[in-house]
Amino acid sequence: MDDSETPYDPADRLRDYATLVDRVFTQGPQAVADGIADQSRAGTDPSSPPGYLRWLLLSHAHLLVRPQDRAEVACVLHDLLVRRPLVFAWLTGVERALPPERLTIRGPENAPDDLRLVRVLTGHRAPVRSIAWSPDGEQLATVGAYDSCVRIWDPRDWSSRRRIDITGASLDVAVWSPDGRRLAVLGRSDRFPDLGEHDEGDVHGWESRVEHVHMVLVYDTATWKEIAATPTAPRLGFGGRPVITWSPDSRTIAVGEDIGVRLWAVDEDERSPWLLPGGKVRQILDLDWNSDGTLTALARGSEQVPGGAHTMPESLLVTWPDPCLGPEYRVWARGVPWDTVTGVRRNPDGHRLCVFSRRGVALCEPDAERPLWQEERAFADAWTKAVEWSPDGRTLAELRSRHQGWAEIVLWQMGPDAQPSVLARFDCAPEETTALAWSPGADLLATGGDNGVRLWRPEAGQTRRSGFETRVTTPVWSPDGSQVAVFSPAVEEWFVVQAREPAEPLPAGPECPFPHLDPQAQEELIDAARQEGRDFDLYTSMYGPHAPDAVSPGQELYALAGRGSRIILFDLVDGGTRQLGAGRPEGRWMLLRFTPDADRLVSFHVRTLTRERDGDWVEELVLTLWDVTTGTQLACERMQQNWASQTRRVDHPRALAVSRTHLAWCGGDGTLALHDLETLEPLSRTRTIGATTGAEFSPDGTTLAVVGEGGVRLVDLVEDESRKG
């Protein structure tokens, strides 16, 4: 088709790749996507290039927000688009916008490609721990686990309407009152002091007895001013936290604490009454206050019952028919499943009640006080993290998660009998996903996790995905570089992936099929070498026996770094030790890696530049190249990062990979970075789905195997000689 004869479409301006990259970098992916929908005739049609580009920007926004520079945006977008010929062929000038040396991810994509995924909200700089829709559906509240804030989103355009900052807090959950006029937030800070004493000499905290006090804050949703606050009963350790729920009349908050439930009348100064079910309860695990006035608690009992090879506290359900008028209660359903991730949700009609634990879901009948149906899975299977009833009570959404692996949403359809049936399944990205919420109109289902909030259409469909469904470690290349083996801790087996045409991994058994350093022989050499290094006390280092270390490829040298000391090199062949550099290093050592010829060593350490109580926390990440023979520093690259930055992502390297010409590192936020080995100058960065924990260059240094939560990624090193220099 001749483009000159077609009507002008504003989306054509984004066909130039450099223009697209610049707009995503300056405006953000979601603003660019919304602009495509507003301006382009085909902007909402995913079968058209601009419509599919819009969906990619919305569903992969977490990979494109807060980039280091335009080059990172260009590389990430390239890796997304090259697998989508519909859009990639529509764009122009792609190669000119990419850096001359870069890492590009090849092979099948490990993120779900599911058009039921509407968009990803990326405002939080930390995992999203809680999601709550306002009763009228016009606002969505999300809680960041570590960024000390609650964000309020407008579902009409998904803009961040308001941000509530609670300085120094670690927040757990936000809950709207049924009338929508108030928002309660549960978390921890120094607002209310902890109880007990901490022994300064107790490094591990085993001797001290400190009881942690949480707080409940209430905000007026008209002005977003705090109108009330209360402490919760102290808890020993970090294992448990209080739980909260609003009364149907929006006047009282039930706070589930240790031995019972405290009723806090928000507008009254009188002492809050307690609901105490005798001596039967040791801890309130979850609460549900139904619209008919019935309060239900899932509790850990005070008695021990048999549970496999061990005894465990008995679980039970406690029901107060009208808690505000009287303390009468019923204790029933003893033995329902529970563990550290446990909850109870009552169907809106009140006739069914769902209890969930990591091992599955159980349905109970409150009136008859009996279980109706229970689904149990093996401990190694996916864990249930959350369940929520749809507003009409006909569908139960269950969020499952494999530890450091894939998440899954299962929609159960409630039939006339007690046996539910599976209506739909959704595969989520490989990340820790823990929050789940239905919109009041039941047209959207929201999940929260490490990379933000995902909004799904709750309908039947299929996802297309390949690769591993759990994390893998320890990449080992075959001698000819044609294959790479990785280890899956979940099944305790090795798998092999073809390097040129990566597809489904093939199982290879319990032993690595390719030659690699023998761990047992390596440990024996290291133990012998440490005996000679008596000037270095391993157990006074910051990491104790886990101090950063590295073994040279031929096992001739061993490097060890500890707190406040220089790097020590141990000669594993002839004996003896020597140190690198001069003087005490600043900061803490994180990673060490030898070059292939063992003539140089790369180190990575972190130093804090500024850390004020209410100010910014600025860190400096330092890469250093050392000459192994002379112990001198050959090159150094310093990268600063501000944890409060709104424009740049913060990521720590988890692993280093070194070839004869380049250095690469991968981070817990999915970052893949490439540096020149001689100068350590940064060359390019890209991102992948899920945390990355290991990396290894192929024997010829042209391909990088990266492993982590999303399985194994094969990454090519691309050099455009015509544009270098």
Side-chain angles (χ1 to χ4, degrees):
M1 180 181 293
D2 186 356
D3 289 343
S4 63
E5 298 178 359
T6 60
Y8 173 71
D9 189 334
D12 287 344
R13 291 180 297 175
L14 297 181
R15 293 187 66 179
D16 178 66
Y17 193 67
T19 301
L20 174 62
V21 168
D22 185 69
R23 291 196 175 186
V24 172
F25 179 74
T26 56
Q27 302 174 18
Q30 298 177 83
V32 175
D34 291 337
I36 294 175
D38 293 338
Q39 300 173 15
S40 174
R41 293 181 299 275
T44 58
D45 180 8
S47 64
S48 69
Y52 197 55
L53 174 61
R54 171 183 175 269
W55 178 81
L56 281 173
L57 293 174
L58 292 176
S59 61
H60 293 76
H62 55 288
L63 295 177
L64 296 163
V65 294
R66 301 174 59 232
Q68 185 74 14
D69 50 29
R70 285 175 173 82
E72 179 180 333
V73 174
C75 291
V76 174
L77 267 177
H78 175 269
D79 291 339
L80 288 174
L81 295 172
V82 74
R83 299 179 179 88
R84 279 89 178 183
L86 176 70
V87 184
F88 196 70
W90 178 70
L91 296 168
T92 60
V94 175
E95 292 298 326
R96 294 195 304 272
L98 295 169
E101 291 186 71
R102 68 183 189 275
L103 295 173
T104 179
I105 302 172
R106 174 171 44 82
E109 191 177 19
N110 61 348
D113 193 359
D114 191 334
L115 293 179
R116 292 175 295 180
L117 177 58
V118 177
R119 67 193 302 155
V120 178
L121 305 179
T122 57
H124 289 284
R125 297 192 309 275
V128 174
R129 181 168 287 174
S130 169
I131 302 171
W133 294 83
S134 63
D136 58 9
E138 295 184 358
Q139 298 180 91
L140 177 68
T142 59
V143 174
Y146 305 117
D147 58 1
S148 305
C149 78
V150 179
R151 284 187 178 269
I152 308 299
W153 305 85
D154 186 345
R156 287 170 294 188
D157 58 5
W158 293 112
S159 60
S160 181
R161 176 182 296 178
R162 182 170 295 274
R163 170 174 168 160
I164 305 172
D165 288 299
I166 306 174
T167 304
S170 175
L171 304 179
D172 293 309
V173 67
V175 185
W176 294 86
S177 61
D179 62 9
R181 297 171 57 190
R182 295 171 177 178
L183 184 75
V185 180
L186 171 68
R188 284 200 64 232
S189 73
D190 56 3
R191 175 74 171 269
F192 299 101
D194 292 335
L195 303 179
E197 297 181 357
H198 176 70
D199 185 355
E200 294 273 340
D202 181 19
V203 178
H204 302 288
W206 295 337
E207 303 298 330
S208 305
R209 182 177 178 85
V210 177
E211 298 187 52
H212 302 284
V213 176
H214 286 68
M215 63 181 181
V216 182
L217 309 179
V218 179
Y219 293 86
D220 185 322
T221 59
T223 63
W224 293 109
K225 301 294 185 182
E226 181 187 313
I227 59 174
T230 185
T232 65
R235 288 180 179 271
L236 181 62
F238 292 93
R241 62 171 176 81
V243 290
I244 60 174
T245 186
W246 282 94
S247 63
D249 62 6
S250 301
R251 298 173 57 187
T252 303
I253 295 178
V255 184
E257 299 181 338
D258 287 332
I259 59 174
V261 179
R262 180 165 62 95
L263 300 181
W264 176 38
V266 176
D267 296 326
E268 301 176 12
D269 296 329
E270 62 199 43
R271 183 180 178 86
S272 302
W274 278 77
L275 302 175
L276 302 174
K280 302 178 177 63
V281 169
R282 179 177 295 180
Q283 180 185 357
I284 301 295
L285 301 170
D286 200 13
L287 290 171
D288 182 277
W289 207 330
N290 196 259
S291 57
D292 65 3
T294 304
L295 177 63
T296 303
L298 177 63
R300 184 176 70 167
S302 58
E303 301 177 3
Q304 302 287 322
V305 296
H310 306 282
T311 60
M312 62 185 297
E314 182 183 38
S315 58
L316 46 91
L317 289 166
V318 184
T319 300
W320 289 271
D322 197 340
C324 292
L325 294 181
E328 293 79 13
Y329 64 90
R330 304 193 310 270
V331 177
W332 58 288
R334 296 177 181 272
V336 292
W338 75 275
D339 48 41
T340 54
V341 180
T342 303
V344 58
R345 295 292 184 272
R346 193 158 185 155
N347 191 291
D349 64 12
H351 298 310
R352 290 180 182 178
L353 185 143
C354 175
V355 178
F356 72 91
S357 69
R358 289 189 301 183
R359 298 194 183 187
V361 174
L363 295 179
C364 301
E365 186 178 3
D367 295 336
E369 299 185 357
R370 64 185 180 90
L372 297 172
W373 173 82
Q374 183 169 330
E375 180 214 21
E376 285 201 30
R377 297 184 295 273
F379 187 78
D381 291 343
W383 295 351
T384 300
K385 290 297 186 72
V387 300
E388 292 292 342
W389 292 98
S390 61
D392 60 8
R394 297 177 182 177
T395 307
L396 180 71
E398 177 191 2
L399 178 62
R400 300 176 179 177
S401 176
R402 292 179 176 88
H403 181 56
Q404 294 188 2
W406 288 88
E408 179 185 48
I409 305 171
V410 179
L411 298 185
W412 296 92
Q413 187 173 36
M414 298 295 111
D417 55 4
Q419 185 80 19
S421 59
V422 175
L423 175 65
R425 294 179 184 270
F426 304 76
D427 287 319
C428 303
E431 63 174 80
E432 187 67 15
T433 306
T434 58
L436 180 69
W438 286 88
S439 65
D443 56 333
L444 288 176
L445 190 62
T447 59
D450 289 346
N451 288 318
V453 178
R454 283 176 165 78
L455 300 169
W456 305 83
R457 285 192 298 270
E459 58 192 36
Q462 292 183 345
T463 58
R464 301 186 303 274
R465 149 166 75 83
S466 62
F468 291 92
E469 295 189 9
T470 186
R471 64 186 174 96
V472 294
T473 64
T474 322
V476 178
W477 285 91
S478 63
D480 62 1
S482 64
Q483 298 174 310
V484 60
V486 293
F487 182 73
S488 171
V491 297
E492 297 185 344
E493 284 193 4
W494 288 84
F495 291 80
V496 172
V497 174
Q498 300 295 325
R500 288 299 103 194
E501 296 293 337
E504 291 295 330
L506 300 176
E511 300 294 333
C512 181
F514 307 134
H516 67 295
L517 299 180
D518 179 35
Q520 183 174 356
Q522 180 176 304
E523 278 300 319
E524 293 175 358
L525 287 171
I526 291 172
D527 289 340
R530 284 178 177 174
Q531 297 302 317
E532 297 187 18
R534 296 187 181 90
D535 56 334
F536 183 86
D537 184 355
L538 181 66
Y539 291 93
T540 62
S541 71
M542 173 172 287
Y543 298 94
H546 304 291
D549 60 1
V551 178
S552 63
Q555 293 187 302
E556 304 94 347
L557 296 173
Y558 171 63
L560 183 64
R563 182 182 61 186
S565 64
R566 288 180 285 168
I567 299 172
I568 297 180
L569 291 182
F570 297 82
D571 192 321
L572 299 179
V573 178
D574 300 324
T577 64
R578 60 183 182 274
Q579 294 184 335
L580 301 182
R584 293 169 63 92
E586 298 180 1
R588 63 187 187 276
W589 298 106
M590 300 292 287
L591 296 168
L592 304 176
R593 188 66 187 263
F594 284 95
T595 57
D597 296 327
D599 57 340
R600 290 169 292 179
L601 178 78
V602 177
S603 68
F604 167 75
H605 75 270
V606 179
R607 58 190 293 254
T608 302
L609 302 180
T610 305
R611 188 180 182 182
E612 301 175 356
R613 180 174 180 80
D614 296 323
D616 294 342
W617 183 357
V618 179
E619 286 188 339
E620 187 175 58
L621 313 181
V622 185
L623 280 170
T624 308
L625 182 66
W626 305 91
D627 185 293
V628 168
T629 303
T630 64
T632 58
Q633 177 180 305
L634 301 177
C636 183
E637 177 66 28
R638 300 177 182 273
M639 302 170 285
Q640 288 191 10
Q641 58 185 20
N642 185 341
W643 284 77
S645 173
Q646 297 288 333
T647 59
R648 291 192 177 185
R649 182 181 298 105
V650 173
D651 200 359
H652 273 166
R654 296 281 189 91
L656 296 174
V658 182
S659 70
R660 286 179 170 80
T661 56
H662 292 86
L663 175 148
W665 59 266
C666 61
D669 200 24
T671 299
L672 307 179
L674 181 69
H675 294 248
D676 179 83
L677 182 59
E678 294 297 327
T679 64
L680 299 184
E681 176 188 358
L683 299 176
S684 75
R685 290 168 66 146
T686 188
R687 291 197 67 211
T688 186
I689 297 291
T692 51
T693 56
E696 192 71 44
F697 273 108
S698 61
D700 63 3
T702 62
T703 306
L704 187 70
V706 179
V707 297
E709 292 180 1
V712 59
R713 297 286 88 199
L714 277 301
V715 185
D716 285 328
L717 195 159
V718 178
E719 298 184 69
D720 186 348
E721 296 294 336
S722 64
R723 298 174 55 218
K724 290 177 64 176

